[in-house]
């Protein structure tokens, strides 16, 4: 925020008034002159000026007692420095109070007093940062300046106010005494009542002058507040340069931490990947060697079996490479999603249609779709059609893979409020409670699935979650070991008119 952006007390900012002709200009001048009399904040400003007296007195005690004790007596006992730091702290809190008062009463908009870039909660670095902060010393200087300035302003306003009140009260007091005094009273003559025709106008003039002083004081008080806002902005807050630097520094720290995390993730990814591809490569190599080994020629049946293993493992490795490419694109921010309103039930139907025969043939698992009734409003969500298909394929394939023979995997689509819900449920092995929180981590597989010969590399759910979140959706799992699991994807509902 630049200085010019800082909006503070909105005083005296009525420049560039249009000229409405001499008459109106004069009337406007008079209104401007009288305006503070009708502005409650001007009276608040007057109180603010009077409050300078106790504050100046407080600063006098703080600086006087604080400095003399720090530099004289206590210095001798070696605790002068901590005592002085205490004085600085008190000065700091006193100006915090001043800032709050200005912000509360007059809307001072100030920069913070510290940038908080130490980032440490230990007392020693915080103390050092406090002493290194120029605002600490400026605050102390402020308390110094406030002793003469505060007394001068406060006492000036107090005297002016007393004078003005006396002058305004004079004609009323005169009239009161005139009502009770009789000719011949000593007071009667002393007050010049005999010649009241001449005295009263003079006193009315005095009263008017008193009122003029009050209005002048209100104007002055507003000026004092403007002056204090300027003082607070220059002395009681960090500079714009400091603020910019701190913002840049914290951005660097955040960026550094992000880069470090990302580097750690990448290292972990490489380690996991190396670990995971070992087994299929060893298997491929073993079977290929067996085929090439000239010693015992394998039968035709054996050759076919070996080649099938090689083919299956090669396919798995190919799928892993595809998954890794998705992960890498996501990391590099290159995963472009084409979000548009899509008909979710249609996609779910296609996935079920594509996988149902395989589920039945390979695993004797029944795959069913529970889609909205024909004629019901279509379930349309903001999504990337291909990526959503990929997510559902992952979930349904898992359902099929982790459900024993005779089980059922269902895909249900529902609309609930502003969300479209897709639930993939199975009657399979289920997932143990301790595995549930980690199930979406990269390369995480439960012991149950590790012990199986087939299966993925534990990237499917991690990728699915990344994709769903990139579509501004959520994915969650509920599972009961031995009974089955239910994965629920929720996407933002979209208006059905523009379905892709
Ligand atoms: P994978 O490729 O190994 O299936 P995923 O990321 O898709 O990897 O899944 C991670 C792990 O979560 C699986 O290894 C498996 O242990 C468990 N899992 C996923 N879906 C199911 C399910 N429907 N039922 C039981 N366990 C599941």
């Amino acid at each position: 925020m630049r200085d010019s952006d800082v909006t503070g007390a909105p005083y005296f900012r009525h420049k560039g008034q249009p000229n409405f002709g001499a008459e109106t200009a004069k009337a406007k001048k008079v209104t401007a002159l009288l305006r503070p009399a009708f502005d409650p904040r001007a009276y608040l400003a007057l109180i603010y000026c009077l409050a300078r007296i106790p504050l100046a007195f407080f600063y006098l005690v703080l600086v006087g007692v604080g400095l003399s004790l720090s530099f004289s007596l206590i210095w001798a006992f070696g605790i002068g420095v901590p005592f002085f730091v205490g004085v600085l702290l008190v000065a700091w809190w006193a100006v915090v109070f001043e800032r709050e008062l200005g912000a509360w009463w007059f809307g001072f908009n100030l920069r913070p007093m510290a940038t908080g870039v130490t980032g440490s909660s230990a007392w020693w670095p915080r103390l050092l940062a406090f002493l290194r902060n120029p605002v600490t010393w400026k605050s102390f200087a402020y308390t110094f300046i406030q002793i003469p300035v505060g007394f001068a302003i406060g006492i000036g306003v107090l005297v002016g106010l007393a004078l003005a009140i006396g002058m305004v009260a004079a004609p009323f007091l005169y009239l009161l005494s005139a009502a009770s005094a009789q000719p011949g009273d000593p007071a009667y003559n002393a007050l010049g009542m005999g010649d009241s025709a001449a005295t009263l106008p003079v006193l009315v003039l005095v009263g008017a002058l008193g009122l003029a002083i009050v209005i002048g004081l209100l104007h002055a008080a507003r000026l004092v507040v403007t002056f204090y806002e300027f003082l607070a902005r220059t002395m009681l807050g960090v500079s714009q340069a400091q603020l910019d630097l701190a913002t840049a520094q914290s951005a660097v720290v955040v960026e550094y931490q992000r880069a470090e995390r990302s580097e750690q993730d990448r290292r972990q990814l490489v380690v996991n990947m190396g670990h995971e591809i070992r087994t299929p490569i060893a298997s491929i190599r073993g079977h290929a060697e067996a085929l090439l080994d000239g010693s015992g020629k394998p039968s035709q049946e054996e050759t076919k079996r070996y080649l099938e293993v090689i083919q299956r493992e090669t396919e798995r490795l190919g799928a892993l490479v595809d998954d890794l490419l998705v992960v890498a694109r996501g990391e590099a921010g290159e995963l472009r999603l084409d979000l548009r309103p899509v008909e979710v039930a249609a996609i779910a139907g296609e996935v079920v249609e594509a996988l149902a025969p395989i589920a039945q043939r390979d695993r004797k698992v029944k795959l069913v779709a529970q889609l909205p009734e024909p004629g019901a409003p279509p379930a349309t969500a903001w999504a990337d059609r291909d990526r959503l298909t990929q997510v559902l394929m992952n979930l349904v394939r898992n359902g099929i893979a982790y459900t024993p023979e005779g089980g059922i995997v269902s895909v249900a689509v529902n609309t609930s409020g502003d969300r479209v819900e897709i639930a993939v449920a199975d009657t399979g092995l289920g997932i143990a409670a301790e595995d549930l929180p980690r199930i979406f981590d990269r390369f995480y597989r439960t012991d149950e699935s590790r012990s199986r010969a087939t299966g993925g590399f534990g990237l499917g759910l991690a990728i699915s979650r990344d994709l769903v979140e990139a579509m501004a959706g959520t994915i969650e799992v509920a599972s009961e070991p031995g009974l089955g699991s239910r994965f629920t994807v929720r996407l933002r509902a979209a208006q059905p008119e523009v379905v892709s």
Side-chain angles (χ1 to χ4, degrees):
M1 202 189 319
R2 319 237 147 258
D3 268 4
S4 54
D5 295 334
V6 177
T7 51
Y11 299 139
F12 306 109
R13 292 186 187 156
H14 307 289
K15 290 179 186 153
Q17 305 268 6
N19 187 2
F20 294 104
E23 275 308 309
T24 19
K26 205 179 266 176
K28 276 189 168 289
K29 250 183 212 162
V30 173
T31 328
L33 217 64
L34 293 180
R35 191 177 292 132
F38 305 102
D39 180 1
R41 275 173 311 168
Y43 293 94
L44 217 54
L46 211 59
I47 299 174
Y48 185 75
C49 291
L50 293 176
R52 304 315 316 168
I53 304 176
L55 279 170
F57 186 72
F58 171 74
Y59 291 138
L60 178 71
V61 174
L62 177 72
V63 169
V65 175
L67 283 192
S68 53
L69 283 184
S70 302
F71 291 114
S72 58
L73 270 180
I74 297 175
W75 195 273
F77 300 107
I79 53 169
V81 173
F83 191 84
F84 180 63
V85 171
V87 173
L88 284 178
L89 269 170
V90 176
W92 174 277
W93 286 109
V95 303
V96 166
F97 168 75
E98 289 251 10
R99 281 169 54 100
E100 288 299 314
L101 196 69
W104 188 40
W105 278 9
F106 307 107
F108 286 4
N109 193 349
L110 308 173
R111 283 185 287 267
M113 289 175 71
T115 53
V117 282
T118 43
S120 169
S121 53
W123 70 272
W124 180 240
R126 285 179 64 186
L127 183 69
L128 276 184
F130 172 72
L131 292 176
R132 265 197 228 118
N133 186 354
V135 178
T136 305
W137 300 97
K138 283 196 216 167
S139 302
F140 190 57
Y142 177 89
T143 59
F144 254 102
I145 297 171
Q146 282 314 302
I147 300 169
V149 174
F151 273 130
I153 289 174
I155 291 174
V157 169
L158 189 67
V159 169
L161 214 53
L163 188 73
I165 290 171
M167 286 165 84
V168 171
F172 298 101
L173 289 177
Y174 174 79
L175 287 177
L176 265 180
S177 352
S180 54
Q182 297 296 322
D185 281 357
Y188 187 84
N189 289 332
L191 287 166
M193 297 279 175
D195 194 14
S196 65
T199 319
L200 196 60
V202 171
L203 285 178
V204 168
L205 208 70
V206 167
L209 203 67
L211 272 180
I213 293 178
V214 171
I215 291 185
L217 281 175
L218 288 172
H219 273 290
R222 292 182 3 158
L223 272 177
V224 166
V225 171
T226 311
F227 164 70
Y228 267 89
E229 186 189 8
F230 165 78
L231 211 62
R233 215 185 290 160
T234 41
M235 299 191 76
L236 306 185
V238 295
S239 68
Q240 188 59 44
Q242 252 179 300
L243 199 61
D244 289 346
L245 187 70
T247 314
Q249 272 175 332
S250 51
V252 168
V253 170
V254 168
E255 195 47 42
Y256 178 77
Q257 284 170 343
R258 204 190 64 81
E260 208 171 25
R261 242 192 339 263
S262 152
E263 184 53 38
Q264 242 169 22
D265 279 2
R266 205 162 306 143
R267 266 201 297 268
Q268 193 63 38
L269 192 72
V270 172
V271 170
N272 285 339
M273 197 180 66
H275 187 73
E276 292 293 338
I277 61 175
R278 261 177 136 155
T279 323
I281 287 180
S283 169
I284 292 172
R285 188 196 289 148
H287 286 86
E289 277 170 5
L291 286 175
L292 292 171
D293 188 4
S295 54
K297 206 171 177 320
S299 69
Q300 211 175 2
E301 212 165 280
E302 267 176 331
T303 309
K304 185 169 178 276
R305 203 156 43 81
Y306 286 8
L307 284 174
E308 273 171 0
V309 171
I310 291 175
Q311 185 190 28
R312 196 172 59 230
E313 295 296 4
T314 318
E315 272 168 10
R316 284 185 68 212
L317 283 175
L320 172 66
V321 171
D322 288 346
D323 281 353
L324 283 173
L325 279 177
V326 177
V327 171
R329 283 206 195 102
E331 296 259 299
E334 286 170 6
L335 205 60
R336 298 265 171 273
L337 267 71
D338 180 18
L339 289 185
R340 55 179 72 208
V342 295
E343 249 263 48
V344 176
I347 297 177
E350 284 166 23
V351 170
V352 169
E353 214 171 291
L355 295 180
I358 304 165
Q360 190 58 45
R361 190 193 62 209
D362 295 352
R363 313 225 3 110
K364 306 277 179 294
V365 166
K366 200 167 167 213
L367 182 55
V368 293
Q370 295 167 346
L371 307 178
E373 295 291 315
T380 316
W382 283 103
D384 178 310
R385 201 172 204 292
D386 295 343
R387 299 302 186 186
L388 182 57
T389 307
Q390 186 182 353
V391 170
L392 294 189
M393 282 278 190
N394 268 342
L395 297 180
V396 174
R397 276 206 187 108
N398 277 350
I400 298 168
Y402 300 110
T403 300
E405 274 189 18
I408 300 173
V409 175
S410 68
V411 182
V413 175
N414 282 302
T415 308
S416 128
D418 61 348
R419 300 262 129 178
V420 172
E421 223 173 75
I422 312 150
V424 178
D426 62 60
T427 58
L429 310 174
I431 302 161
E434 64 268 22
D435 288 322
L436 279 178
R438 302 198 51 197
I439 204 94
F440 292 100
D441 291 353
R442 284 176 192 165
F443 292 108
Y444 188 78
R445 299 171 68 192
T446 61
D447 290 342
E448 188 77 46
S449 91
R450 279 186 187 283
S451 61
R452 295 159 149 243
T454 56
F457 293 93
L459 276 177
L461 286 180
I463 289 177
S464 299
R465 187 184 53 185
D466 288 351
L467 291 176
V468 169
E469 286 179 355
M471 293 185 236
T474 58
I475 182 168
E476 60 186 47
V477 58
S479 185
E480 192 70 49
L483 291 181
S485 316
R486 166 188 290 265
F487 287 83
T488 310
V489 173
R490 291 192 181 85
L491 296 171
R492 277 187 305 146
Q495 292 302 321
E497 289 89 59
V498 272
V499 174
S500 64

